[in-house]
Amino acid sequence: MDFSYSPKVKELIKKLSAFMEGYIYPNEKVYKEQLNAQESRWSVPPIMEELKAKAKKEIAMIKVVAPNVALKVIDRAIQAFGAAGVSDDFPLAAQWANARTLRLADGPDEVHKEQIAKLELRQYQ
């Protein structure tokens, strides 16, 4: 059996190829050059690594405080809504579960608390 394209399909292939050659492929070269030129901007400058090292304690503190504050706020909202706060009628129960999970997602609070204590004590050694 001989399978070949119909004349209409061949015409559409020619039109598509012409379109690709005229509009898509030239743009591909342009965006690739732009990506290559911008590559250096995406690398982390050494100053950022230095700032990250200096901010370790603050980062650890935020990782403990932010989820706990979110939990307190959601818990107060659940209390305000009463039994409806834990029902499926309002998203509060799901939000509380998500916030509680967040406390474990980036490492347990105890790990961050330990890191804070080590960084604080290191200043006095």
Side-chain angles (χ1 to χ4, degrees):
M1 288 185 102
D2 184 23
F3 292 104
S4 63
Y5 294 123
S6 69
K8 183 154 181 121
V9 171
K10 288 178 183 178
E11 181 184 335
L12 288 173
I13 289 173
K14 282 182 186 177
K15 284 182 181 179
L16 179 61
S17 296
F19 175 79
M20 297 292 283
E21 291 293 330
Y23 296 100
I24 304 300
Y25 296 138
N27 291 338
E28 188 174 341
K29 292 176 187 168
V30 171
Y31 85 75
K32 282 186 179 179
E33 286 302 318
Q34 185 66 22
L35 288 176
N36 290 337
Q38 297 297 326
E39 233 172 54
S40 64
R41 289 183 58 208
W42 295 337
S43 62
V44 177
I47 188 72
M48 297 304 287
E49 293 297 331
E50 186 179 325
L51 290 173
K52 182 181 172 184
K54 289 182 179 179
K56 276 187 176 181
K57 184 170 73 171
E58 287 78 10
I59 292 169
M61 287 182 195
I62 290 169
K63 288 179 179 181
V64 172
V65 171
N68 284 323
V69 169
L71 274 175
K72 287 178 185 176
V73 169
I74 296 167
D75 188 58
R76 290 174 74 184
I78 289 172
Q79 289 294 327
F81 277 75
V86 292
S87 71
D88 289 336
D89 294 338
F90 298 99
L92 295 171
Q95 289 172 346
W96 186 89
N98 289 338
R100 181 64 183 96
T101 304
L102 183 62
R103 287 181 60 193
L104 297 171
D106 196 31
D109 285 354
E110 298 306 315
V111 172
H112 298 303
K113 290 175 185 177
E114 187 72 25
Q115 184 180 18
I116 293 166
K118 284 180 182 177
L119 292 169
E120 187 66 26
L121 293 173
R122 192 176 296 159
Q123 293 178 9
Y124 302 105
Q125 291 179 346

